[in-house]
Amino acid sequence: MNVIGLIKAVLRNMNEKDETQTVFELGGEILSYINEGYINAVVTKLKPVKTVTCESVNSRIALKDIASDFYEISRVIDKYGIEMRYSRNSEYLFINDGIYDVEYIFIPGELKCETDEPIISCAFHYILSDYATYRMFLKGSKARQARGEAFLSSYLNGLNKLMEAKRMKIKNKFGSDKNV
């Protein structure tokens, strides 16, 4: 589902008409809530990764040099394909001098255009509209807030089912590992 489909789903959840005028009036606020739920779902559950080659100089790599969409380091691999140990603080990744492949969890860009689609599986796009509906209902009376709780529950249940891609290892009878 693209952004306009998500916005219209939120309006239908709220029993509003999904006409052009209503989308125009409430679309910006709804989109901000969709993005809030989207970034939370991706970073906490999906954890997508990218790899970038970095050079360690003076036993450190500046985190700001990794990428602009950097969130957390997943692992560091040397030129032989061996996972390396490292330490880090808020500014640097500390590792022996050399060239490494740094695998990191990234934060996807916000959804902006009407045709943008989330990177999560389309089977879970509904959780984004449910989260935005919950946030829209928070502004109302106690009865509206109570209605919103059902959408929060749906979001959290869907979030629990959303699986992150895990690396698996196959171990043969001779004891060597192969990353899949």
Side-chain angles (χ1 to χ4, degrees), residues 55-74:
E55 182 177 2
S56 175
V57 179
N58 296 328
S59 297
R60 64 184 179 194
I61 299 170
L63 294 178
K64 64 179 175 69
D65 293 340
I66 292 177
S68 60
D69 60 356
F70 169 78
Y71 179 71
E72 183 64 50
I73 293 178
S74 178

Side-chain angles (χ1 to χ4, degrees), residues 117-143:
E117 287 194 30
I119 63 170
I120 63 176
S121 170
C122 60
F124 291 97
H125 286 184
Y126 75 92
I127 68 172
L128 304 179
S129 61
D130 286 349
Y131 181 79
T133 304
Y134 158 70
R135 290 298 307 263
M136 291 296 286
F137 278 145
L138 278 181
K139 299 183 304 181
S141 65
K142 293 278 187 194

Side-chain angles (χ1 to χ4, degrees), residues 46-160:
L46 195 60
K47 299 181 181 180
V49 295
K50 288 184 181 177
T51 303
V52 66
T53 302
C54 297
E55 182 177 2
S56 175
V57 179
N58 296 328
S59 297
R60 64 184 179 194
I61 299 170
L63 294 178
K64 64 179 175 69
D65 293 340
I66 292 177
S68 60
D69 60 356
F70 169 78
Y71 179 71
E72 183 64 50
I73 293 178
S74 178
R75 62 186 184 154
V76 178
I77 303 166
D78 71 359
K79 62 183 176 182
Y80 302 109
I82 299 171
E83 195 169 331
M84 301 297 294
R85 289 187 170 180
Y86 61 89
S87 60
R88 65 167 280 208
N89 63 15
S90 60
E91 292 182 56
Y92 296 104
L93 171 71
F94 299 101
I95 194 164
N96 293 335
D97 287 351
I99 296 178
Y100 300 95
D101 286 333
V102 178
E103 188 177 281
Y104 66 96
I105 299 168
F106 69 94
I107 299 173
E110 287 189 348
L111 305 170
K112 295 178 183 175
C113 300
E114 290 183 357
T115 57
D116 287 350
E117 287 194 30
I119 63 170
I120 63 176
S121 170
C122 60
F124 291 97
H125 286 184
Y126 75 92
I127 68 172
L128 304 179
S129 61
D130 286 349
Y131 181 79
T133 304
Y134 158 70
R135 290 298 307 263
M136 291 296 286
F137 278 145
L138 278 181
K139 299 183 304 181
S141 65
K142 293 278 187 194
R144 277 178 66 93
Q145 291 175 13
R147 272 185 69 199
E149 292 295 324
F151 290 101
L152 176 62
S153 178
S154 175
Y155 172 75
L156 294 174
N157 287 335
L159 200 59
N160 284 333

